Amino acid sequence: MTFSASRFPSGISKNRPTPDVFAPLRAVRESGRRICALTAYDFPTAKFCDESGVDFILVGDSLGMVVAGNPDTTSVTLDHMIYHTEMVARAVESAVLVGDLPYKTYETPETAVENGKRLIDAGAHAAKLEGGIRQAHKVEAMTSAGIPVCAHIGMLPQRVVEEGGYKKKGKSDAEVEYLIQSARDLESAGAGAIVLESIVPSVARKICEAVEIPTIGIGAGSACDGEIRVIHDIVGGYPWFVPPFAKPHADIAAEYRRAIEAYREEIQPSD
Ligand code: KIV
């Protein structure tokens, strides 16, 4: 698929230079290391990630689930994302900081540009949006307006209600073709990195071979240039729902419970 400026609706400023904010991720890949990516939603968590050398911090709309306690991400608003992006931006000194455009905030190229700019103004280096081929013209509008974009294909959490659950992608020939073409179109449109979520590993490998931009996987096998996880899933911070690909490296929930119990005991009257 090719793109031209004539595809832009009038009113969108074109050809503003887009900062190459994903260069550090390409450098990590060139060094032979895999890109380490995690979500963070607040200042202390972002500071822990940044100080520990996490390469890519995502203020994910997964905060609708693991922070706000909703069943999915569709209730997250742009104002929520701006509030949390500002907290995280105060902490980040080294990592690439990406903010999610939430559900229904990028329905047209104009709203994608307008709302992407608001995430950048809140401190994100780039905005992430979900979807394949049909989002490419929005990605092109955003990058032409100077907004770096991270794409996201495969299982799309913002579509979970429409699709009736979290389903692995790349199981049929049509899906494989769609995913590979989506990655190519999004890259041609200017996306600087791409998240591959819950994709059959052999298909994720083909996608990685089809594009040059850094690929960041979650539940997509080991071929991607890096991995991303929701921070709660690696520290054991949300024990009520643990995705199948999550591997906790700590049990923060047990520590919280232990400390709360210790405090409850501490404040009781002594004999
Ligand atoms: O919102 C999020 O946390 C995400 C990651 C799971 C990639 O999009």
Side-chain angles (χ1 to χ4, degrees):
M1 193 183 276
T2 52
F3 296 88
S4 69
S6 63
R7 293 176 61 131
F8 288 110
S10 59
I12 292 180
S13 56
K14 308 173 186 84
N15 301 326
R16 206 170 287 162
T18 307
D20 187 9
V21 300
F22 296 106
L25 304 187
R26 297 197 303 275
V28 172
R29 176 175 64 186
E30 274 145 34
S31 76
R33 257 193 338 109
R34 291 188 84 216
I35 297 158
C36 174
L38 277 172
T39 65
Y41 316 103
D42 58 44
F43 178 89
T45 313
K47 202 140 182 76
F48 290 137
C49 290
D50 198 59
E51 287 176 353
S52 306
V54 170
D55 305 301
F56 173 134
I57 296 178
L58 173 69
V59 187
D61 61 355
S62 48
L63 65 82
M65 300 168 80
V66 296
V67 175
N70 288 307
D72 57 60
T73 63
T74 58
S75 57
V76 176
T77 66
L78 188 66
D79 284 343
H80 296 150
M81 292 308 305
I82 287 169
Y83 182 54
H84 286 274
T85 301
E86 284 170 349
M87 296 178 203
V88 170
R90 266 175 229 126
V92 171
E93 286 176 21
S94 306
V96 177
L97 169 53
V98 179
D100 262 341
L101 277 171
Y103 187 55
K104 288 203 186 291
T105 62
Y106 48 98
E107 300 282 272
T108 64
E110 289 90 345
T111 52
V113 169
E114 187 184 322
N115 294 330
K117 273 189 185 144
R118 291 190 63 198
L119 286 181
I120 302 295
D121 289 346
H125 302 139
K128 178 164 81 61
L129 53 74
E130 296 184 7
I133 294 170
R134 284 189 300 278
Q135 306 293 23
H137 68 297
K138 297 173 194 168
V139 171
E140 189 174 26
M142 291 170 76
T143 53
S144 293
I147 303 165
V149 176
C150 177
H152 182 158
I153 62 170
M155 200 283 289
L156 305 177
Q158 292 175 9
R159 304 251 176 98
V160 67
V161 179
E162 286 152 55
E163 295 195 356
Y166 296 99
K167 297 187 179 135
K168 195 120 197 141
K169 297 293 167 154
K171 288 188 169 169
S172 67
D173 290 349
E175 258 179 25
V176 174
E177 202 185 310
Y178 172 77
L179 287 167
I180 294 173
Q181 194 56 48
S182 291
R184 287 198 173 121
D185 286 359
L186 291 160
E187 178 178 54
S188 302
I194 185 165
V195 169
L196 308 186
E197 178 159 3
S198 201
I199 295 176
V200 172
S202 58
V203 178
R205 182 174 294 279
K206 285 186 189 157
I207 297 168
C208 294
E209 285 164 3
V211 294
E212 286 178 11
I213 52 175
T215 54
I216 320 287
I218 174 165
S222 57
C224 294
D225 298 314
E227 290 291 329
I228 185 159
R229 295 290 181 273
V230 168
I231 184 91
H232 293 65
D233 293 342
I234 64 149
V235 300
Y238 199 85
W240 308 281
F241 173 73
V242 182
F245 47 77
K247 183 175 159 203
H249 293 276
D251 190 354
I252 287 295
E255 279 300 288
Y256 264 113
R257 288 172 174 143
R258 192 196 54 71
I260 293 164
E261 179 59 24
Y263 165 68
R264 204 163 65 89
E265 284 307 313
E266 178 204 337
I267 63 165
Q268 299 314 312
S270 48
D271 300 331

